[in-house]
Amino acid sequence: ARVKKETVELYAERVNKRALCAIAQAESVRYKLLEGLAVRRACYGVLRYIMENDAQGVEIIVSGKLRAQRAKAMKFKDGYMIKSGDSVNHYVDSAVRHIHLKQGVLGIKVKIQLPYDPKGKDGQVYRYLMSLRYLIQNLITWHKCKTRGKGKDRHHMLRIWLVALAR
């Protein structure tokens, strides 16, 4: 069955913050490597650019035959990255790209942890419980514990302060 010309509609929307888009940054690393830039230099440049634009964390993995015949993987990380729970689906943007070079194929994986943004412009709005792990890591300030009493009656007091979101 053929599709008529009038039935297909295509919408393209501009990305608000290019630094927080994993697809754009994976393509950026890809083009830098195709130009012949060294892997470490290309990845650290992109990593710094992403972190300067308010990302909570970044992870870039380049794998394949980087210099020698033997394939290996290089990981570049910065900041905080959640790996489990439902928040990963809402707060981590990821992309995979491949480069076909003369010596073989290189794989690029980029993961960006988006910041919490109640307005939904730059980060994620996801409010539905925001997962307990995300709350514990980002919204609660942990302070050192104090000891009270002597001998057997000695016990530790752990203070937890909830940071007020001034918005």
Side-chain angles (χ1 to χ4, degrees), residues 1-16:
R2 293 186 110 183
V3 179
K4 294 180 183 176
K5 288 182 183 178
E6 297 83 29
T7 59
V8 178
E9 290 183 21
L10 183 65
Y11 294 102
E13 201 173 303
R14 187 174 176 84
V15 178
N16 284 340

Side-chain angles (χ1 to χ4, degrees), residues 33-56:
L33 293 177
L34 281 172
E35 288 172 5
L37 199 63
V39 177
R40 280 197 179 105
R41 188 176 175 105
C43 290
Y44 278 125
V46 171
L47 190 93
R48 190 170 12 94
Y49 174 68
I50 295 169
M51 288 306 289
E52 283 172 358
N53 283 282
D54 303 326
Q56 283 194 330

Side-chain angles (χ1 to χ4, degrees), residues 9-164:
E9 290 183 21
L10 183 65
Y11 294 102
E13 201 173 303
R14 187 174 176 84
V15 178
N16 284 340
K17 273 200 168 181
R18 193 172 62 91
L20 297 179
C21 177
I23 294 171
Q25 296 313 312
E27 288 292 335
S28 176
V29 172
R30 182 173 176 244
Y31 284 114
K32 285 181 180 187
L33 293 177
L34 281 172
E35 288 172 5
L37 199 63
V39 177
R40 280 197 179 105
R41 188 176 175 105
C43 290
Y44 278 125
V46 171
L47 190 93
R48 190 170 12 94
Y49 174 68
I50 295 169
M51 288 306 289
E52 283 172 358
N53 283 282
D54 303 326
Q56 283 194 330
V58 187
E59 184 180 85
I60 301 172
I61 302 171
V62 180
S63 59
K65 288 196 258 182
L66 302 170
R67 282 274 175 231
Q69 232 4 67
R70 188 84 163 167
K72 63 178 181 178
M74 295 177 87
K75 283 187 178 184
F76 304 91
K77 298 179 186 180
D78 196 10
Y80 169 71
M81 178 74 62
I82 54 174
K83 301 278 187 172
S84 64
D86 188 47
S87 334
V88 174
N89 302 329
H90 302 281
Y91 284 99
V92 178
D93 187 19
S94 59
V96 177
R97 291 291 178 266
H98 305 286
I99 311 174
H100 297 278
L101 297 173
K102 192 168 57 178
Q103 72 263 27
V105 179
L106 287 183
I108 300 168
K109 291 181 187 174
V110 176
K111 287 183 179 181
I112 301 172
Q113 168 125 2
L114 303 171
Y116 173 69
D117 181 25
K119 293 179 180 81
K121 289 183 180 178
D122 301 330
Q124 277 297 339
V125 188
Y126 185 61
R127 272 193 181 272
Y128 179 73
L129 290 179
M130 287 194 304
S131 133
L132 187 59
R133 182 173 181 167
Y134 185 81
L135 276 169
I136 289 171
Q137 293 293 332
N138 296 310
L139 304 177
I140 294 176
T141 307
W142 295 86
H143 294 276
K144 281 199 166 189
C145 55
K146 291 183 178 180
T147 55
R148 286 195 179 162
K150 292 182 179 179
K152 290 182 185 178
D153 299 328
R154 188 175 170 176
H155 63 277
H156 297 280
M157 299 281 295
L158 181 64
R159 293 187 300 162
I160 302 171
W161 293 347
L162 189 62
V163 177

